[in-house]
């Protein structure tokens, strides 16, 4: 017989069911998973040796938790994944507003119902997915929203006076009894509302309009917040912070490899795009490097942070830019080009907050600078450094390329160029292949075209080549040759 087939309090007692608090429940199930060496927080990357051990320690300690970090650091995701540590079902007194435990009822309704019906009291079963409550803290949130208030309509319908506690309408927190309750962006909650949480966290009672109800609510609280110095909208009041057992600092991915895993997992890639658009590994690397550059940029507000959602949006726009081009050129399939990254600028401008210098440059210009810096960073990881000054007669690895451009006409890479012509244009620059064979001989053939394009862009960024933007694309040429021809 399934446990959910139990329908009355008497049957529940006969089954030997034992009531435990939600914090004990989380602790019990976490211990079982740790003993089996199972992954507790699936799909969260980069926290294996930092945030997750601290979070597991907090759960073992039966603490309420505050996840403190910049935007886009998986704080809410971690809180939602705690649901997997709950029992699949728990019994609830049928009709209870606050998920009363049939063996340990709290509300007047459940106490009176059990007193009346005894072992015949009907019970229902609550699935763990229904035991997660989430509230975004905004300045307009009231005590009535979170804790409750007197309901005059209920008083009128039941013909009760306001001294009777049955006129109370419970708020979100009492209704989340025996559940995980998440308050996102807790500093945005007004200080007086934060004060209303004191007793719930410490003493387990609630106060509503003069009623002081001793309701030892059984709740696992999880708060999320940005660092206090990020916003002037508010902060966590000190007495509330003191009642939160563990404060855990989250962080951004510390390596590009981890960032790539997150983007690949979270990006909304359509099946049609997967079939028709090939993304070179180097392009994926460039997507993530843009985010790393943004977090170090003098134009971006580091206190605001750069969300992992930016890389996800860039990747989605990158695929769509390539897809749109292939539709216009009628190519049945295509490969992402570096040119396509300029179609991702709208995904960058909306995801970064600029300091004064950035505002002066403009969001679109800053986005281009981030792309250019990412190109230079990746190039220097693959090829020798380009020295700003060199001695007379000193040879560099890039001399063959500059000589080729000196003796040839400019190379044009157009936004809407079909794949065949685009490939011919790059492959015609034979010194590019020689450079790759010397320094990156094991590079995958299907990705070489993107690498050749990256070399051109990097040489232009380092002023070895000249790059000019025109209406439908870019032109690469030798700056000295143009000067001489101009004479």
């Amino acid at each position: 017989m399934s446990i959910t087939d139990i329908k009355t309090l008497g049957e529940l007692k006969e089954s030997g069911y034992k009531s435990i608090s939600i914090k004990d429940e989380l602790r019990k199930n976490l211990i079982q998973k740790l003993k089996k060496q199972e992954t507790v927080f699936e799909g969260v990357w980069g926290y294996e040796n930092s945030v997750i051990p601290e979070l597991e320690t907090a759960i073992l300690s039966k603490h309420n938790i505050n996840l403190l970090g910049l935007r886009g650091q998986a704080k809410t995701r971690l809180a939602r994944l705690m649901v997997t540590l709950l029992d699949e079902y728990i019994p609830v007194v049928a009709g209870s507003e606050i998920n009363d435990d049939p063996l340990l009822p709290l509300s007047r309704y459940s106490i009176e119902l059990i007193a009346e019906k005894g072992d015949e009291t009907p019970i229902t079963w609550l699935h763990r997915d229904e035991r997660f409550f989430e509230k975004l803290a905004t300045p307009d949130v009231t005590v009535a929203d979170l804790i409750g208030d007197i309901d005059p309509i209920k008083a009128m319908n039941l013909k009760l006076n306001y001294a009777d506690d049955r006129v109370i309408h419970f708020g979100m927190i009492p209704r989340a009894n025996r559940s995980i309750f998440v308050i996102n962006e807790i500093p945005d909650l007004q200080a007086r509302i934060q004060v209303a949480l004191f007793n719930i966290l410490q003493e387990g009672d609630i106060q509503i309009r003069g009623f002081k109800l001793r309701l030892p609510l059984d709740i696992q609280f999880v708060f999320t917040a940005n660092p206090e110095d990020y916003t002037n909208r508010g902060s966590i009041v000190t007495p509330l912070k003191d009642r939160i057992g563990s404060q855990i600092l989250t962080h951004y991915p510390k390596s590009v490899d981890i960032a790539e895993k997150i983007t690949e997992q979270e990006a909304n890639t359509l099946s049609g795009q997967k079939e028709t658009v090939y993304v070179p590994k180097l392009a994926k690397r460039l997507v993530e490097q843009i985010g790393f550059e943004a977090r170090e940029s003098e134009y971006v507000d580091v206190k605001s942070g750069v969300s992992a959602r930016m890389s996800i949006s860039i990747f989605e726009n990158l695929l769509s830019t390539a897809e749109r081009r292939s539709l216009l050129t009628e190519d049945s399939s295509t490969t992402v080009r570096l040119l396509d990254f300029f179609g991702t600028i709208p995904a960058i401008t909306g995801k970064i907050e600029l300091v004064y210098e950035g505002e002066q440059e403009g969001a679109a210009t800053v986005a281009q600078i981030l792309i250019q810096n990412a190109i230079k960073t990746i190039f220097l990881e693959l090829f020798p450094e380009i020295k700003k000054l060199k001695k007379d007669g000193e040879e560099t690895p890039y001399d063959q390329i500059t000589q080729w451009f000196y003796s040839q006409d400019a190379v044009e890479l157009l936004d809407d160029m079909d794949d065949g012509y685009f490939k011919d244009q790059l492959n015609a620059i034979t010194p590019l292949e020689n450079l790759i064979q010397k320094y990156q001989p094991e590079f995958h053939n299907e990705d070489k075209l993107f690498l050749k394009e990256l070399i051109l862009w990097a040489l232009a960024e380092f002023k070895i080549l000249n790059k000019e933007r025109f209406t439908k694309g870019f032109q690469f040429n030798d700056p000295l040759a143009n000067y001489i021809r101009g004479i």
Side-chain angles (χ1 to χ4, degrees):
M1 183 179 76
S2 171
I3 191 170
T4 55
D5 291 332
I6 297 173
K7 301 299 182 183
T8 65
L9 177 57
E11 293 173 356
L12 184 66
K13 290 176 180 177
E14 289 176 7
S15 72
Y17 176 85
K18 301 291 184 183
S19 297
I20 61 172
S21 70
I22 186 171
K23 289 184 169 66
D24 285 320
E25 186 183 337
L26 290 166
R27 174 183 162 82
K28 174 197 71 174
N29 292 326
L30 175 59
I31 289 172
Q32 290 176 358
K33 283 183 174 287
L34 292 176
K35 284 182 176 179
K36 295 177 183 178
Q37 297 188 350
E38 295 179 3
T39 301
V40 179
F41 295 94
E42 290 280 357
V44 178
W45 303 100
Y47 285 170
E48 295 84 358
N49 300 311
S50 54
V51 175
I52 288 177
E54 293 178 357
L55 183 55
E56 290 172 348
T57 299
I59 293 171
L60 292 173
S61 300
K62 302 198 294 187
H63 283 174
N64 292 313
I65 299 163
N66 181 31
L67 297 171
L68 182 67
L70 296 171
R71 55 188 173 143
Q73 292 185 350
K75 300 186 293 294
T76 305
R77 175 180 284 259
L78 285 170
R80 288 173 179 168
L81 286 172
M82 287 176 63
V83 171
T84 62
L85 293 174
L86 296 173
D87 291 340
E88 186 174 9
Y89 288 98
I90 59 168
V92 173
V93 175
S96 170
E97 290 182 279
I98 62 171
N99 300 326
D100 273 301
D101 184 338
L103 301 179
L104 296 169
L106 296 179
S107 69
R108 178 168 175 172
Y109 165 83
S110 295
I111 292 171
E112 290 181 349
L113 183 65
I114 292 172
E116 177 188 347
K117 296 193 175 184
D119 287 348
E120 295 303 313
T121 302
I123 66 170
T124 58
W125 292 88
L126 192 66
H127 192 264
R128 60 180 162 221
D129 290 343
E130 300 177 82
R131 298 173 64 194
F132 180 86
F133 291 76
E134 188 175 355
K135 178 65 178 173
L136 176 63
T138 54
D140 62 336
V141 173
T142 64
V143 174
D145 294 332
L146 292 180
I147 300 175
D149 204 349
I150 292 174
D151 186 346
I153 297 176
K154 183 186 286 187
M156 180 181 66
N157 289 339
L158 298 177
K159 298 180 180 179
L160 300 171
N161 63 50
Y162 288 162
D164 194 312
D165 61 11
R166 286 175 291 179
V167 303
I168 292 175
H169 173 79
F170 290 113
M172 289 186 68
I173 291 178
R175 290 175 183 276
N177 185 37
R178 304 172 73 199
S179 303
I180 297 170
F181 191 88
V182 178
I183 301 182
N184 284 313
E185 309 300 344
I186 186 70
D188 289 350
L189 207 60
Q190 293 184 47
R192 63 184 181 84
I193 311 300
Q194 293 184 40
V195 169
L197 300 176
F198 289 178
N199 279 23
I200 297 174
L201 288 174
Q202 196 70 38
E203 286 81 21
D205 59 52
I206 61 174
Q207 297 182 31
I208 300 173
R209 298 284 186 180
F211 289 102
K212 184 175 181 180
L213 304 178
R214 183 62 183 169
L215 286 180
L217 297 172
D218 183 22
I219 299 175
Q220 171 67 57
F221 280 100
V222 180
F223 305 99
T224 73
N226 284 302
E228 292 179 30
D229 59 352
Y230 161 56
T231 174
N232 294 321
R233 292 175 293 182
S235 62
I236 305 176
V237 297
T238 303
L240 177 60
K241 192 186 296 185
D242 184 54
R243 286 166 167 81
I244 300 172
S246 291
Q247 178 169 280
I248 299 170
L249 302 180
T250 57
H251 56 80
Y252 288 120
K254 295 182 178 179
S255 74
V256 172
D257 290 339
I258 292 172
E260 279 186 28
K261 287 182 179 180
I262 295 171
T263 299
E264 188 172 351
Q265 175 180 279
E266 300 299 323
N268 182 24
T269 307
L270 304 177
S271 58
Q273 292 176 333
K274 289 181 180 178
E275 295 166 1
T276 59
V277 181
Y278 173 72
V279 186
K281 183 167 179 57
L282 200 57
K284 296 178 182 179
R285 170 81 170 77
L286 184 57
V287 167
E288 305 306 334
Q289 189 61 42
I290 293 169
F292 280 76
E293 297 293 338
R295 291 173 194 134
E296 299 293 330
S297 174
E298 61 183 333
Y299 298 118
V300 178
D301 186 357
V302 295
K303 293 179 181 179
S304 167
V306 178
S307 169
R309 286 183 282 270
M310 186 179 82
S311 297
I312 296 166
S313 296
I314 291 174
F315 187 75
E316 292 169 348
N317 265 16
L318 185 65
L319 288 174
S320 297
T321 302
E323 181 185 33
R324 177 182 179 276
R325 170 171 44 75
S326 68
L327 292 171
L328 293 174
T329 59
E330 298 183 352
D331 287 318
S332 58
S333 62
T334 190
T335 298
V336 162
R337 305 172 188 171
L338 205 154
L339 270 172
D340 296 330
F341 275 82
F342 285 83
T344 70
I345 287 176
I348 301 173
T349 55
K351 294 288 192 299
I352 54 176
E353 290 193 31
L354 304 177
V355 295
Y356 177 76
E357 292 80 2
E359 296 287 355
Q360 294 295 103
E361 292 286 341
T365 301
V366 171
Q368 291 183 36
I369 291 171
L370 296 178
I371 294 172
Q372 292 162 0
N373 289 343
I375 291 169
K376 291 193 286 186
T377 298
I378 293 176
F379 176 82
L380 292 176
E381 292 176 356
L382 300 173
F383 298 100
E385 181 183 359
I386 297 176
K387 297 179 181 178
K388 292 183 179 179
L389 299 173
K390 69 173 184 175
K391 299 176 182 177
D392 291 339
E394 182 183 359
E395 294 185 358
T396 75
Y398 311 105
D399 287 347
Q400 288 185 11
I401 299 174
T402 55
Q403 289 169 8
W404 188 93
F405 274 94
Y406 182 80
S407 61
Q408 301 287 334
D409 291 331
V411 172
E412 291 185 351
L413 300 180
L414 307 181
D415 298 334
D416 57 357
M417 186 181 285
D418 67 69
D419 280 11
Y421 190 48
F422 184 80
K423 182 177 180 180
D424 291 341
Q425 285 287 86
L426 284 174
N427 286 340
I429 311 171
T430 51
L432 292 178
E433 182 68 31
N434 298 335
L435 186 71
I436 293 171
Q437 287 301 320
K438 184 174 181 179
Y439 294 103
Q440 296 296 328
E442 298 180 357
F443 210 83
H444 297 296
N445 283 330
E446 61 268 27
D447 292 0
K448 275 188 179 179
L449 210 62
F450 188 89
L451 181 57
K452 289 180 180 181
E453 194 182 359
L454 182 131
I455 293 170
L456 285 186
W457 281 84
L459 293 180
E461 295 304 326
F462 285 110
K463 311 301 180 186
I464 302 298
L465 296 178
N466 186 53
K467 172 170 61 69
E468 297 177 10
R469 175 68 175 171
F470 56 98
T471 307
K472 292 188 176 182
F474 285 88
Q475 184 184 84
F476 294 85
N477 53 47
D478 180 79
L480 185 59
N482 276 358
Y483 175 74
I484 294 173
R485 287 170 185 148
I487 294 175

